[in-house]
Amino acid sequence: HYPDDARRDCWFCLASPGCETHLVTGVGDTCYTCLPKGGLVDAHALIVPIAHASDRASLDDATLNELEATSDNLAKSFREKLNSHAVAFERVADTKKGVYHIHRNIIPLPKRGSGDASRLVSDFMDAAQRMSFRLVPVNDGVFRPAASDRFFVVDVYCGETGSKKRFACVQPKDTSQRFAGLHFGRDLLAAALGTP
């Protein structure tokens, strides 16, 4: 049983009547994994904090650590079992409905040859530049932008070595600067997979 709260219309709150629990594939201590509606590939997964949070700044250390560890473990599984790279991304920005529950997409991408993980990084950087915003490398450590910021963060896991490269765009929510569109990460990965 999960605590009831005022967010009855949040798709990701397990206590919400709108949560499609048949898509849940696992529940940890502070996060759960599920299949997305309309995944790009069969192994496309979402990692979702159990407690409602609209940004990383609202997550306690245990939840943030479990979110990151689950992502790293899924990427390792994709590498070992599917012989794939993995790309994980999150986008946090205000929505029209005002109800947002942070979640992370993670998707395996088949290896296509030497250096293709680097090409994935370049594709994200180039697409961001075309949309007039910048993705910059993020150093190791906890990535926790302020609640007053919007962000897009992408992790590219190399299928050969398992190494992870993280890039992000972080901006104040009230800025007029261009930002990642709602489907930015999904659209780029769909193109890389050759799916519409």
Side-chain angles (χ1 to χ4, degrees), residues 31-187:
C31 294
Y32 70 93
T33 56
C34 65
L35 300 173
K37 297 177 186 178
L40 291 173
V41 295
D42 288 345
H44 184 164
L46 301 179
I47 308 164
V48 186
I50 293 170
H52 188 92
S54 58
D55 52 56
R56 276 183 169 239
S58 302
L59 299 177
D60 61 28
D61 290 343
T63 303
L64 191 55
N65 290 337
E66 188 171 320
L67 182 79
E68 295 285 349
T70 303
S71 183
D72 292 347
N73 289 335
L74 283 170
K76 181 180 179 186
S77 178
F78 293 161
R79 184 175 84 249
E80 293 174 351
K81 295 182 177 166
L82 301 177
N83 195 31
S84 295
H85 302 297
V87 175
F89 67 89
E90 298 167 48
R91 179 190 178 278
V92 168
D94 287 337
T95 61
K96 290 178 184 174
K97 285 188 173 185
V99 175
Y100 186 79
H101 193 129
I102 190 169
H103 60 280
R104 170 170 267 244
N105 284 266
I106 184 162
I107 301 159
L109 280 101
K111 291 190 249 180
R112 294 197 168 97
S114 179
D116 58 344
S118 295
R119 282 194 298 278
L120 283 169
V121 170
S122 295
D123 288 348
F124 270 95
M125 304 292 264
D126 293 345
Q129 189 171 20
R130 283 192 304 274
M131 293 183 71
S132 301
F133 69 93
R134 285 188 57 214
L135 289 171
V136 295
V138 176
N139 297 328
D140 288 340
V142 175
F143 177 73
R144 194 188 304 240
S148 59
D149 290 336
R150 61 186 182 181
F151 69 85
F152 177 85
V153 61
V154 59
D155 293 340
V156 177
Y157 296 86
C158 176
E160 267 87 40
T161 64
S163 65
K164 174 171 72 173
K165 293 184 179 178
R166 176 172 280 178
F167 298 87
C169 175
V170 179
Q171 301 172 343
K173 286 182 181 177
D174 59 2
T175 187
S176 61
Q177 293 176 299
R178 295 283 307 254
F179 187 63
L182 182 62
H183 301 290
F184 176 72
R186 182 183 175 85
D187 289 348

